Amino acid sequence: MYLADETWPDLGDYFETESLALVPLGSTEQHGPHLPLATDHLIGEAFAREAADRTGYLCTPTINVGVSPHHRQFNGTMWVDAPVFRDYVESFTRNLAYHGIDRVIYVNAHGGNVEHLREVGRRLRDDEVLYAIEWMWDESIPDLVDDLFEQNGPHGGPKETAMIQHLRAELVHDDRLEDARDGGIPSVEAAETKKYGSRTFYDAADNTGNGVLGDQTDATAEKGAEMFEAATEQLVRLCEWLDGQAFDDLLPEPHV
């Protein structure tokens, strides 16, 4: 069920019987010369909508702009400052709690959002408003991703390329995959910006001239479809697990 497609009386029926919502999030940021800036939020929304279709749980509108200042040197990248993002997502989620939702899954497809979503989840849990957790599609299927790609990225690499080839093939510049590979770097390690245990880089541009990592020529729509199905199964299982928990068991443990 997609919230924005429903009428308010019909949503009342949902809130009377269910208490879980899926919130898709991503970013609008550079993904190299071959992928659209929408890559992350397209992926997050696709997973959230598919899981909602399979389970009947509620999917909210997508939060399309995230914490992406580390990509700012590349044309068109959009971002909000981290404190603003955290406050916005917290307010957005408290709105769901007002309607009766007491557990939320942030279906996230942007690494820059992770720590901030975890912080929002902690705030809401500590206040005993609701229980919110962050989910990343590729972290749900790490072995499959490693099996499919020799150099999987992380950013703008073959796993994201394959996923967009599967979801929105018309947005992928397949004629630029070799340029993406040759103008980027295989991995962060190859950039040699980790020094004596310290990450000396702050921006993507510190590591890679075209903004991406990995071997994009290893991507296919078929690999994207395989990952999409496997990760969707993981998300559906997470929904079912979370729905089955007693709310009191999700709250913080008492002081010892």
Side-chain angles (χ1 to χ4, degrees):
M1 176 184 289
Y2 180 58
L3 183 147
D5 286 345
E6 303 297 324
T7 67
W8 71 261
D10 293 333
L11 284 169
D13 294 338
Y14 181 86
F15 293 129
E16 285 180 6
T17 58
E18 302 289 353
S19 60
L20 187 148
L22 298 157
V23 177
L25 306 95
S27 68
T28 300
E29 65 181 24
Q30 71 85 16
H31 275 77
H34 63 301
L35 290 179
L37 273 69
T39 290
D40 286 344
H41 71 249
L42 289 175
I43 293 173
E45 181 172 307
F47 277 115
R49 290 236 193 172
E50 183 66 21
D53 287 346
R54 295 189 188 189
T55 62
Y57 294 123
L58 186 69
C59 176
T60 74
T62 304
I63 297 175
N64 290 340
V65 176
V67 183
S68 302
H70 49 294
H71 293 292
R72 69 188 186 278
Q73 289 91 345
F74 297 92
N75 294 331
T77 291
M78 303 186 71
W79 70 92
V80 293
D81 292 336
V84 175
F85 177 80
R86 290 193 295 266
D87 288 347
Y88 180 87
V89 174
E90 180 177 348
S91 180
F92 184 105
T93 310
R94 286 180 181 272
N95 167 225
L96 292 171
Y98 177 80
H99 292 301
I101 296 298
D102 65 14
R103 57 206 73 193
V104 165
I105 299 174
Y106 296 127
V107 183
N108 176 43
H110 173 50
N113 293 341
V114 173
E115 63 181 291
H116 308 293
L117 294 173
R118 292 284 299 171
E119 173 60 25
V120 170
R122 171 175 286 281
R123 290 182 191 177
L124 295 167
R125 182 173 182 255
D126 286 352
D127 289 348
E128 300 188 1
V129 173
L130 53 69
Y131 181 80
I133 50 176
E134 182 266 349
W135 178 85
M136 276 279 284
W137 70 273
D138 56 325
E139 292 183 5
S140 77
I141 51 168
D143 293 339
L144 176 59
V145 172
D146 286 343
D147 288 344
L148 289 175
F149 307 109
E150 185 174 346
Q151 297 175 343
N152 59 43
H155 183 74
K159 65 185 177 186
E160 289 186 323
T161 303
M163 191 61 68
I164 299 299
Q165 286 173 327
H166 167 60
L167 296 173
R168 295 289 302 274
E170 75 279 9
L171 297 180
V172 181
H173 294 268
D174 288 320
D175 59 330
R176 299 178 184 174
L177 297 183
E178 290 187 6
D179 290 342
R181 178 197 62 197
D182 297 342
I185 57 171
S187 64
V188 173
E189 288 71 26
E192 299 182 349
T193 51
K194 291 184 177 180
K195 305 290 186 183
Y196 313 108
S198 176
R199 293 166 52 130
T200 66
F201 60 93
Y202 283 94
D203 297 330
D206 296 333
N207 287 327
T208 166
N210 68 0
V212 295
L213 304 91
D215 182 359
Q216 292 74 17
T217 66
D218 198 18
T220 66
E222 291 75 20
K223 291 180 180 180
E226 184 177 355
M227 292 188 297
F228 187 77
E229 179 60 29
T232 298
E233 289 180 2
Q234 294 297 305
L235 180 54
V236 166
R237 291 177 185 174
L238 179 61
C239 290
E240 294 169 344
W241 171 83
L242 184 55
D243 186 57
Q245 305 307 301
F247 182 65
D248 287 346
D249 293 340
L250 299 172
L251 297 178
E253 295 292 333
H255 190 281
V256 296

